[in-house]
Amino acid sequence: MPTLAHYLIVSGLLFSIGLGGVLLRRNILIIFMGLELMLNAANLSLVAFSRFNLLADGMPNYNAQVLVFFIITVAAAEVAVGLAIIVALFRAKQTTHVEDLNTLKF
Amino acid sequence: MQLVLFSIFSLLMLAFALGVVLLRNPVSCAMSLVMSFVALAAVFITLDAYFIAVVQVLVYAGAVMVLFLFIIMLLDLREEKRRRVRLSAWVGGGLVVGGFLAALIQVISALPALNVTKPVISQPLANDVAQVGFALFRNFNLPFQIIGVLLLVSTVGVVLLSKKELK
């Protein structure tokens, strides 16, 4: 049987892969995908904690799953707004490469 | 058996997540992300969170990824040109990620309380959707309404951002 530590380590690995994508990739869309991976890692650890900490009546702690539901909703809203900003940025600059977007750089 | 299924799906999920980070073509990255989300939904099912697994497939692998692919097609992104690899960025990024992972694994292995197998649910056949729905509408009704307003605001914001010229 997988233990809670297994789930947390998988969640940490997923978060690290997402963080690596955000730090290393130069395409702004792929950076966005890395953010999604990190949000999913948080969801995985929340669901794991909900399943492993049963309430007094022997059922999973559904409050954590409600929080995951909220995170998924906010992530969907974030993707919509973020992609609209990326499209507006592409219209203005004709690029999605972050190294070409340096007009605010001091 | 549980451990085998858990290992298969988490390895699949991590492999496809690595594909997102390593592949060069944005469309391959997006498809890899879809597979990663579907494998994550399977991992949710090993945790008896059926509702979350279904929502994960519907919202993430469905709606969000369609939006991503649509934008990739709209912007007509080609395979990235091989630019000069910045060694400092890779060393810095590798250090941050490796440090985080090392700290996390040290903490997890130092806590014996995490080394527990899944406790048995008292009613394993209870309706998962109903349980989440009760929690959502009884205990978290106000946050639920606020999330609705947030979705409305983000929709209006996207429409405004997508206008040709802002006034």
Side-chain angles (χ1 to χ4, degrees):
Chain A
M1 291 283 275
T3 63
L4 182 53
H6 284 130
Y7 282 101
L8 292 185
I9 285 175
V10 167
S11 160
L13 280 169
L14 188 62
F15 188 90
S16 318
I17 292 172
L19 184 62
V22 171
L23 289 176
L24 300 179
R25 291 302 297 261
R26 290 286 163 263
N27 188 335
I28 202 163
L29 271 165
I30 312 289
I31 291 178
F32 223 60
M33 293 182 192
L35 282 179
E36 295 304 308
L37 285 178
M38 287 157 79
L39 280 168
N40 273 297
N43 284 350
L44 177 56
S45 59
L46 272 172
V47 174
F49 279 123
S50 121
R51 177 63 181 82
F52 280 84
N53 286 320
L54 296 189
L55 293 178
D57 60 353
M59 294 299 282
N61 193 339
Y62 283 106
N63 291 356
Q65 301 199 11
V66 171
L67 183 54
V68 169
F69 178 77
F70 286 152
I71 291 176
I72 289 177
T73 318
V74 172
E78 174 230 334
V79 165
V81 175
L83 287 177
I85 291 177
I86 289 175
V87 171
L89 198 63
F90 188 82
R91 264 199 214 131
K93 298 270 182 186
Q94 309 299 323
T95 181
T96 57
H97 202 273
V98 285
E99 279 168 3
D100 300 333
L101 305 168
N102 52 7
T103 40
L104 281 181
K105 205 168 170 184
F106 182 60
Chain B
M1 188 59 195
Q2 283 248 340
L3 189 60
V4 175
L5 284 178
F6 164 77
S7 320
I8 289 173
F9 284 115
S10 18
L11 284 180
L12 264 179
M13 176 182 74
L14 293 175
F16 280 114
L18 268 181
V20 175
V21 177
L22 297 180
L23 291 174
R24 303 202 78 81
N25 190 341
V27 178
S28 327
C29 289
M31 296 323 278
S32 191
L33 194 57
V34 174
M35 288 313 293
S36 179
F37 285 161
V38 172
L40 182 60
V43 176
F44 283 154
I45 287 180
T46 69
L47 285 166
D48 300 306
Y50 302 103
F51 174 68
I52 296 297
V54 170
V55 168
Q56 170 88 13
V57 172
L58 278 181
V59 175
Y60 264 121
V64 168
M65 292 319 297
V66 165
L67 208 56
F68 261 110
L69 278 174
F70 186 72
I71 298 299
I72 290 172
M73 307 276 173
L74 184 73
L75 301 187
D76 196 18
L77 296 181
R78 307 285 168 171
E79 196 153 330
E80 279 176 50
K81 279 176 261 151
R82 292 197 171 269
R83 301 213 180 187
R84 194 165 44 87
V85 174
R86 295 230 321 254
L87 192 67
S88 59
W90 278 85
V91 170
L95 271 182
V96 171
V97 172
F100 168 77
L101 205 57
L104 186 87
I105 287 177
Q106 195 201 2
V107 167
I108 289 177
S109 54
L111 279 175
L114 297 180
N115 221 345
V116 290
T117 52
K118 267 182 279 190
V120 182
I121 302 184
S122 59
Q123 298 158 276
L125 294 177
N127 193 343
D128 190 64
V129 182
Q131 298 289 327
V132 177
F134 281 139
L136 188 61
F137 286 102
R138 284 184 182 156
N139 306 341
F140 297 95
N141 207 326
L142 181 64
F144 182 71
Q145 311 286 344
I146 294 174
I147 284 282
V149 176
L150 176 82
L151 280 177
L152 175 68
V153 169
S154 72
T155 312
V156 173
V158 168
V159 171
L160 200 66
L161 272 171
S162 310
K163 276 190 155 181
K164 255 291 188 284
E165 57 222 43
L166 294 172
K167 280 184 191 135

